[in-house]
Amino acid sequence: MTLYIAREASKLWRRICMETKVELSLLAEKWKLLLAGVFFQYLHGLAARGVHYFHRPGPTLQDVGFFLFPWTFHPFIFQSKRFHTVLLWCRVLAFLVASQLLRIITFYSTQLPGPNYHCREGSKLARLPRPDNALEVLLINFPRGVLYGCGDLIFSSHMIFTLVFVRTYQKYGTQRSTKQLAWLIAVIQSLLIIASRKHYTVDIIVAWYTVNLVVFFVDQKLPELPDRTNASSSSPLLPLSTKDKESKTKEENHKLLNGNSGDATDWRQRTQVNGKILEDGNAVRADSAMNAN
C-alpha cells in the first residue's frame, strides 16, 4: 500500500512539473498580452472611479424591474485538461477588454443618477469632492471607491464578468450540468442586481446582448485554441503519458503491417499477393493474368 501511494505521488509530481514547464513556456510567449489585459482591468476601475466625480444625484428613474423586485427581495493537473491555461486566459481577457471598453464609452457619454441608496440626494457619498492631487485619483480610493461608486451604470460590470466566464465555459467546458447551472446563476444574479438597486434594469438588459455579441464577434477574429487531445502527437510542448505512447506505437505498427505509411493523403487500397503489396484491385487482376500465361 505504501509503495502504491509513493508511486502515485511520484506520477502526480511529474505531471505537475510537466504542466508547469509547458504553461511557463507559453507564459513567456504571451506575457505581453496577459499583462495588457490585466492592466486594462485597472484602467477600467480608474474610469469607473473617475465618472463618480461627474455624478449628480437626482430623482430615481422609473424602472419596471424595481417594481417587480422590491428591496426585500477544469483543474491544473488532470489528464483530461483540454486547453492550456495561459491561452485560455488570453482569450478571456480579450473578451473582457472589448466589453469594458464599450462600457467606459457608454457611461462617460451620459451619466445617469445612481439608483443605489448611497447615490441619492442627501447622501454624502453621492458626490465625490474634487481630488487634491492626481495620486488620489490613480489609487481609486480602494476599496471604498469601488464599493461606493456612482454613475458607472450602463452597462453592468458584474454581468460582463459573469457572461464572459459563462460563455467561455459553454464553449470549452465539458460538463453539461455545470453549463446549465452557470446560465441559471447568471439569470439569478441579474435579478439580484436589480433587487439590490446596484443597476437599473436597462443596464442588465444591455449587458446581456452586448457582452454576448462582443464575445461572438471577438471569438471569430481570434485563432482557435489548440485541442490537446487532438494535437498531443504533433506538439513538442506536450509530453505523452505511458498509455499514450503505447497507443501510438500500436497504431504505427498496425499501419506498417498493412502497408500504410500513415500519410492521411495516401488513401489507396493495398492488397498483398504472392508476398508483394499491390496498390489496387486492377493490379491484382493484371498479376493473375500474367501468371495464367
Side-chain angles (χ1 to χ4, degrees):
M1 182 66 178
T2 305
L3 180 62
Y4 172 79
I5 295 176
R7 185 172 64 250
E8 292 302 315
S10 177
K11 290 181 180 178
L12 180 63
W13 176 247
R14 287 198 301 269
R15 180 70 181 174
I16 294 175
C17 292
M18 287 187 296
E19 290 291 342
T20 303
K21 183 179 179 181
V22 172
E23 295 293 348
L24 287 178
S25 63
L26 290 172
L27 181 61
E29 179 184 353
K30 304 291 186 180
W31 70 270
K32 293 182 180 179
L33 292 174
L34 289 171
L35 182 61
V38 172
F39 180 69
F40 193 86
Q41 302 308 300
Y42 166 74
L43 293 181
H44 174 259
L46 186 64
R49 174 65 173 174
V51 79
H52 194 171
Y53 290 104
F54 297 99
H55 178 258
R56 297 295 178 267
T60 305
L61 304 181
Q62 295 295 321
D63 191 295
V64 65
F66 291 176
F67 291 105
L68 297 177
F69 303 100
W71 172 252
T72 54
F73 188 75
H74 203 303
F76 184 70
I77 57 174
F78 278 13
Q79 184 70 30
S80 59
K81 177 184 171 187
R82 294 176 57 198
F83 305 102
H84 289 293
T85 305
V86 171
L87 299 180
L88 192 60
W89 271 102
C90 284
R91 208 173 194 87
V92 168
L93 286 171
F95 299 151
L96 289 176
V97 168
S99 299
Q100 291 169 335
L101 184 60
L102 291 176
R103 180 174 186 263
I104 292 172
I105 294 173
T106 55
F107 67 58
Y108 267 105
S109 300
T110 303
Q111 289 86 47
L112 301 180
N116 215 330
Y117 294 97
H118 67 268
C119 298
R120 300 180 182 181
E121 290 181 317
S123 173
K124 295 180 179 180
L125 299 173
R127 297 179 61 180
L128 282 180
R130 284 184 170 273
D132 297 328
N133 50 62
L135 185 61
E136 183 180 340
V137 178
L138 295 176
L139 292 180
I140 323 178
N141 192 19
F142 185 84
R144 185 182 179 87
V146 176
L147 296 175
Y148 296 103
C150 299
D152 57 324
L153 294 175
I154 298 179
F155 43 94
S156 170
S157 178
H158 297 78
M159 293 310 302
I160 288 179
F161 281 92
T162 299
L163 292 173
V164 163
F165 285 113
V166 171
R167 281 293 302 262
T168 302
Y169 189 81
Q170 176 68 33
K171 181 174 182 180
Y172 298 110
T174 55
Q175 299 294 328
R176 182 180 179 184
S177 58
T178 304
K179 296 178 182 181
Q180 295 172 340
L181 178 61
W183 284 111
L184 178 61
I185 291 175
V187 173
I188 294 176
Q189 178 179 313
S190 301
L191 303 180
L192 292 178
I193 290 175
I194 298 171
S196 64
R197 302 301 190 258
K198 290 290 291 183
H199 282 277
Y200 291 107
T201 306
V202 66
D203 304 337
I204 305 301
I205 294 175
V206 170
W208 268 92
Y209 64 72
T210 301
V211 176
N212 278 289
L213 287 173
V214 167
V215 172
F216 174 79
F217 285 109
V218 173
D219 190 55
Q220 300 298 313
K221 298 296 182 181
L222 295 176
E224 188 54 70
L225 287 180
D227 193 332
R228 294 179 50 162
T229 57
N230 296 329
S232 59
S233 60
S234 60
S235 175
L237 293 174
L238 301 177
L240 291 175
S241 63
T242 304
K243 183 178 179 181
D244 294 333
K245 290 180 180 178
E246 293 177 354
S247 177
K248 181 180 179 183
T249 304
K250 290 180 181 180
E251 183 180 355
E252 290 177 347
N253 291 337
H254 180 74
K255 291 179 179 179
L256 290 174
L257 289 174
N258 287 276
N260 192 338
S261 63
D263 187 358
T265 59
D266 191 4
W267 51 269
R268 295 168 298 178
Q269 295 182 353
R270 299 169 184 264
T271 309
Q272 188 172 354
V273 178
N274 295 330
K276 298 180 181 180
I277 297 177
L278 304 179
E279 297 295 335
D280 52 31
N282 293 331
V284 174
R285 288 193 294 270
D287 188 68
S288 300
M290 292 176 64
N291 292 334
N293 292 334

